[in-house]
């Protein structure tokens, strides 16, 4: 059973910073990332990283503010978030994919892929104005 263990959520004021962590306890994945869902809105991809070469991809609204990184030894992905805004308030979900199905590759590791097969339970991030 795949386990993605998230930590690091919390509440900060506008302009503050937080760092989310996600450890894959039982497997390794070629693609890991973060999605988020704000109240009353659909889930949206935030950032992904192709762990084979640390190739990253971000949604436009977080570029320059969020940084996704991967620690291979710890099998952990991090999302460092800075200059946080009230519109960043959401439940943040760690996602992962082995990309081992025929036809799947590095191009499928991107924030637009809402059908990522594995999801964590979520970590709440609240930004107050």
């Amino acid at each position: 059973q795949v386990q993605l263990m998230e930590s690091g959520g919390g509440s900060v004021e506008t302009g503050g910073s937080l760092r989310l962590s996600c450890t894959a306890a039982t497997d390794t994945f070629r693609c890991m990332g973060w999605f988020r869902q704000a109240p009353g809105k659909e889930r949206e991809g935030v950032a992904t990283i192709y762990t084979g070469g640390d190739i990253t991809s971000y949604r436009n609204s977080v570029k320059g503010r969020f940084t996704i990184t991967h620690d291979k030894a710890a099998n952990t992905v991090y999302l460092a978030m800075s200059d946080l805004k009230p519109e960043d308030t959401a439940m943040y979900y760690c996602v992962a994919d082995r990309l081992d199905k025929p036809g799947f590759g590095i191009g499928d590791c991107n924030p637009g892929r809402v059908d990522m097969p594995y999801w964590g339970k979520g970590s709440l991030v609240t930004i107050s104005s």
Side-chain angles (χ1 to χ4, degrees):
Q1 184 178 357
V2 172
Q3 290 184 322
L4 299 174
M5 299 184 296
E6 301 145 328
S7 62
S11 181
V12 297
E13 294 183 346
T14 298
S17 300
L18 284 171
R19 190 178 79 157
L20 302 178
S21 301
C22 173
T23 298
T26 59
D27 212 333
T28 57
F29 300 93
R30 291 180 180 174
C31 180
M32 296 186 73
W34 297 90
F35 275 59
R36 68 186 181 187
Q37 186 169 21
K41 295 187 177 181
E42 295 185 353
R43 285 183 180 181
E44 59 184 23
V46 177
T48 54
I49 186 166
Y50 181 75
T51 62
D54 284 347
I55 298 169
T56 59
S57 184
Y58 300 90
R59 69 178 299 104
N60 287 337
S61 64
V62 307
K63 285 181 180 178
R65 301 189 298 121
F66 291 13
T67 302
I68 187 169
T69 55
H70 177 247
D71 183 331
K72 185 177 180 179
N75 208 16
T76 298
V77 63
Y78 302 95
L79 185 68
M81 304 181 290
S82 62
D83 190 21
L84 284 160
K85 306 175 181 181
E87 52 264 41
D88 294 317
T89 294
M91 187 70 80
Y92 282 70
Y93 297 90
C94 178
V95 297
D97 192 354
R98 297 187 186 94
L99 296 181
D100 58 354
K101 294 183 180 178
F104 279 74
I106 186 174
D108 297 290
C109 188
N110 66 79
R113 246 199 81 208
V114 296
D115 63 340
M116 290 284 188
Y118 303 109
W119 293 68
K121 293 183 178 181
S123 188
L124 184 61
V125 171
T126 304
I127 313 303
S128 58
S129 58

